Amino acid sequence: MDGALQSKSSNSNIIKQILKNLNLKIQIGGGIRTIHDVDYWVNNGVDKVIMGTAAVENIDLLKIACERFKNKIAVSLDIKNGFISL
């Protein structure tokens, strides 16, 4: 979630070490705003990339990510009072 607040992942090195040293399925989200972000994490071994605000604000990005990275994209939406909260 630090990535969502800072517009970049502050835990990239830790996540890469986990991916390298443990045989786990990892999902990452927060701050995923470009196709480069998605590509970076998929190519580093993340099982699922979770898109939030960018999936709502940039539907073309979501479509491209889903087409390019089949079965690697999840969408997470925060709902408040019946509406999407961005």
Side-chain angles (χ1 to χ4, degrees):
M1 287 306 298
D2 292 341
L5 299 173
Q6 299 171 5
S7 297
K8 65 178 182 163
S9 178
S10 61
N11 299 307
S12 295
N13 291 332
I14 295 167
I15 295 166
K16 287 193 287 187
Q17 287 298 314
I18 291 169
L19 289 164
K20 179 180 172 185
N21 295 306
L22 301 172
N23 186 22
L24 299 173
K25 290 190 175 194
I26 303 289
Q27 299 178 358
I28 188 165
I32 308 294
R33 291 186 172 81
T34 68
I35 199 68
H36 174 74
D37 295 334
V38 177
D39 182 67
Y40 176 83
W41 286 114
V42 170
N43 286 321
N44 273 284
V46 168
D47 186 58
K48 296 272 192 243
V49 175
I50 303 168
M51 298 180 71
T53 302
V56 175
E57 292 181 342
N58 189 346
I59 193 74
D60 291 331
L61 170 63
L62 178 61
K63 288 179 185 178
I64 291 167
C66 288
E67 290 169 1
R68 192 175 296 173
F69 304 100
K70 301 228 185 284
N71 300 315
K72 294 289 185 182
I73 306 299
V75 175
S76 175
L77 302 174
D78 295 321
I79 307 296
K80 185 175 181 180
N81 297 322
F83 296 96
I84 295 173
S85 178
L86 300 176

